[in-house]
């Protein structure tokens, strides 16, 4: 019996977790959630994720939701894949920063750009400040190596990279060379290429 089950929909944020699972190389099962049919609002699924959204992950008796939390959990649960920074390493702090920075700053800033507010809020009201600062911080980090943690690819790159790929796909990001090059490097990873292919097959089957 496969211990890992991803509750997944295409297209959705759960693709970032599928990418993470492909990077791990561990066997996993997919439980498809048809958003168009309202599967995410069923009582059976809300018992797994009361928010009624994907992704969610079952690992044995553990259930985890929220994409960044799942990626963090998987990286720690399978340290042999070298996708985490272990507790006790001083780089654990910056690593965790990026895992939280992805959904709370990058994704929030991109979505605000996609759906502008009627009135521009004061800068201090927004947790991310402004999108220019957010992207400058990411660009600065990438000058130190091919990935956020330097030479090591980690779960933080899955989380941050997924948000940036989303923004680039829908042309919601300014043209910044460091970020464009980073996305291009991520696109070359076999695990991401497998994820795109597998999710494309699911989308085609559902159409």
């Amino acid at each position: 019996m496969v211990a890992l089950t991803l509750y997944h929909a295409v297209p959705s944020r759960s693709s970032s977790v599928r990418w993470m699972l492909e990077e791990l190389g561990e066997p996993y099962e997919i439980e498809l959630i048809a958003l168009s049919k309202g599967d995410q609002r069923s009582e059976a699924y809300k018992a797994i994720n009361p928010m009624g959204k994907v992704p969610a992950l079952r690992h044995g008796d553990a259930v985890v939701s929220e994409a960044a939390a799942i990626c963090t959990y998987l990286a720690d649960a399978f340290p042999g894949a070298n996708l985490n920074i272990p507790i006790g390493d001083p780089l654990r702090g910056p690593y965790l920063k990026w895992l939280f920075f992805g959904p709370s700053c990058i994704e929030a800033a991109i979505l605000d750009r996609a759906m502008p507010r009627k009135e521009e809020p004061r800068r201090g009201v927004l947790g991310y400040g402004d999108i220019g600062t957010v992207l400058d911080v990411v660009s600065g980090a990438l000058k130190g190596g091919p990935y956020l943690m330097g030479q090591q690819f980690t779960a933080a790159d899955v989380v941050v990279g997924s948000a940036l790929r989303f923004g680039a796909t829908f042309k919601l990001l300014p043209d910044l060379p460091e970020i464009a090059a980073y996305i291009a490097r991520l696109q070359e990873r076999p695990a991401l290429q497998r994820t795109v292919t597998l999710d494309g097959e699911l989308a085609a089957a559902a159409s």
Side-chain angles (χ1 to χ4, degrees):
M1 180 179 177
V2 175
L4 290 165
T5 300
L6 173 64
Y7 295 86
H8 181 48
V10 180
S12 78
R13 290 176 177 84
S14 60
S15 290
S16 62
V17 177
R18 186 168 207 179
W19 174 17
M20 181 69 185
L21 288 164
E22 288 293 328
E23 292 283 356
L24 283 180
E26 295 288 331
Y28 65 93
E29 294 179 345
I30 291 289
E31 186 77 27
L32 280 176
I33 303 295
L35 302 181
S36 61
K37 296 179 181 177
D39 290 354
Q40 73 277 18
R41 296 189 296 274
S42 70
E43 290 305 311
Y45 184 65
K46 287 174 74 175
I48 295 163
N49 185 356
M51 286 294 289
K53 64 178 189 176
V54 292
L57 178 88
R58 186 184 295 280
H59 178 213
D61 294 329
V63 175
V64 192
S65 59
E66 302 300 325
I70 295 170
C71 290
T72 307
Y73 173 88
L74 287 170
D76 286 342
F78 298 93
N82 198 36
L83 294 171
N84 73 335
I85 304 294
I87 293 174
D89 189 318
L91 290 178
R92 174 84 174 180
Y95 163 73
L96 290 175
K97 184 277 290 288
W98 288 117
L99 286 162
F100 284 77
F101 194 85
S104 65
C105 294
I106 300 174
E107 183 177 329
I110 289 172
L111 289 177
D112 271 353
R113 186 167 179 143
M115 294 171 280
R117 303 166 192 262
K118 290 183 180 179
E119 294 184 12
E120 188 71 19
R122 288 183 295 109
R123 188 183 190 281
V125 172
L126 300 175
Y128 64 84
D130 63 77
I131 192 168
T133 300
V134 168
L135 297 177
D136 283 347
V137 169
V138 177
S139 295
L142 293 171
K143 291 177 181 177
Y147 302 115
L148 292 169
M149 300 307 300
Q151 294 297 316
Q152 182 186 356
F153 176 89
T154 69
D157 293 294
V158 174
V159 172
V160 169
S162 294
L164 293 174
R165 288 181 67 244
F166 169 81
T169 297
F170 292 98
K171 302 189 185 309
L172 296 169
L173 296 178
D175 186 17
L176 297 173
E178 292 88 356
I179 289 179
Y182 176 59
I183 292 172
R185 286 194 293 277
L186 297 178
Q187 309 267 59
E188 294 174 357
R189 294 191 67 83
L192 179 53
Q193 293 174 359
R194 288 195 301 273
T195 300
V196 171
T197 298
L198 291 167
D199 277 359
E201 291 170 354
L202 286 177
S207 63

